Amino acid sequence: MRIDVVSIFPSYFDGLTLSLLGRAQSTGILDLQVHDLRDWTHDRHRTVDDTPYGGGAGMVMKPEPWGLALDQLAGLPGAEPAARPTVIFPSPAGEVFRQSTARELAEREHLIFGCGRYEGIDERVFEEAATLGEVRLISLGDYVLNGGEVAVMAMVEAIGRLIPGVVGNPESLVEESHEDGLLEYPSYTKPSIWRDREVPPILLSGNHGAIAAWRREQQLERTRRRRPDLLDR
Ligand code: 6GU
């Protein structure tokens, strides 16, 4: 998979070279490239924003650098439909990012993430991007961040770990919270008694059927208690 990220703070993404996603990049499973939006400016101050038409607080990102960046990263219009990228703009006004979103996006060949500051990007950029590929506005949840960078870090990690070969043991993918719509069951390791606290005895019983049933019950109970909204879905 190819992932391009465009940001005015490219060093935010240094952390993505660590750990599993770092290894995926060195083995060639993932081609992740982070770009500085200012590389597509042409004025002396490398300007990426300007005041909003109609007035109001804050600044709006200018369309020209975004247009040039997307043209270059998407290839020219008229390219084969299969090669068209999915262009994702993190936005608190977008659809909410879920595990199902991560699964869907992990199937794509080429993702482009455009990080805006939250006052926004000139609306015409989204229209223009739609001529190059599918455009998605995606939110991390119902709270406000200063910009899209942290949201894109989270999305790239959630998507990247679903690419075959990125997580060494694929079985560890299926028992996570949200993979089956429930929260995960509690885990324990040695010692069996720690500060007078015992591991639930059933986990030491060797009865695999009973353990599986207990874990399922724990998943349901936790989900009911902490996230009843998941059970309605
Ligand atoms: Cl994707 N961006 C910003 N700026 N704030 C957010 C968000 C995204 N998701 C939740 N809050």
Side-chain angles (χ1 to χ4, degrees):
M1 177 189 282
R2 162 88 183 254
I3 299 180
D4 288 290
V5 178
V6 181
S7 165
I8 56 170
F9 301 116
S11 52
Y12 256 102
F13 299 92
D14 291 352
L16 293 178
T17 61
L18 303 171
S19 188
L20 288 176
L21 288 188
R23 200 194 52 181
Q25 288 168 77
S26 44
T27 60
I29 295 174
L30 175 63
D31 178 8
L32 173 68
Q33 297 188 32
V34 182
H35 311 270
D36 188 340
L37 179 67
R38 294 189 200 277
D39 291 348
W40 286 281
T41 59
H42 292 108
D43 64 309
R44 199 159 51 86
H45 300 290
R46 312 225 293 161
T47 309
V48 292
D49 56 5
D50 206 337
T51 52
Y53 276 121
M59 301 287 273
V60 175
M61 292 191 112
K62 295 165 60 64
E64 299 97 324
W66 280 111
L68 294 172
L70 294 171
D71 287 347
Q72 182 174 332
L73 299 175
L76 293 176
E80 285 175 55
R84 286 158 60 91
T86 301
V87 186
I88 299 157
F89 293 99
S91 166
E95 57 173 309
V96 173
F97 186 77
R98 302 186 189 289
Q99 189 64 19
S100 55
T101 322
R103 278 194 292 264
E104 180 192 355
L105 295 174
E107 306 276 325
R108 309 284 164 102
E109 279 302 317
H110 185 193
L111 304 178
I112 300 175
F113 288 93
C115 301
R117 44 189 298 166
Y118 79 102
E119 292 88 344
I121 300 174
D122 187 302
E123 189 72 18
R124 293 166 293 182
V125 171
F126 307 121
E127 299 165 15
E128 186 73 7
T131 68
L132 301 170
E134 184 194 351
V135 172
R136 301 276 288 266
L137 270 62
I138 305 185
S139 168
L140 218 52
D142 295 336
Y143 43 83
V144 180
L145 305 170
N146 283 332
E149 282 77 11
V150 167
V152 169
M153 295 259 285
M155 291 188 239
V156 168
E157 186 156 310
I159 294 164
R161 63 194 295 283
L162 298 179
I163 302 169
V166 170
V167 170
N169 176 5
E171 275 190 34
S172 62
L173 291 173
V174 298
E175 296 199 344
E176 301 286 356
S177 289
H178 302 298
E179 265 305 333
D180 59 2
L182 297 174
L183 303 185
E184 66 189 342
Y185 54 76
S187 299
Y188 300 86
T189 187
K190 293 178 276 295
S192 64
I193 302 176
W194 173 69
R195 298 189 178 182
D196 291 335
R197 298 172 192 276
E198 288 183 26
V199 169
I202 190 153
L203 296 177
L204 311 178
S205 69
N207 182 340
H208 298 296
I211 291 171
W214 180 85
R215 285 177 166 167
R216 192 72 186 169
E217 189 47 48
Q218 290 289 313
Q219 284 193 283
L220 286 164
E221 174 53 28
R222 286 184 149 190
T223 309
R224 249 192 312 268
R225 201 159 13 96
R226 299 177 185 169
R227 293 293 306 278
D229 58 300
L230 294 181
L231 294 176
D232 301 336
R233 231 183 262 143

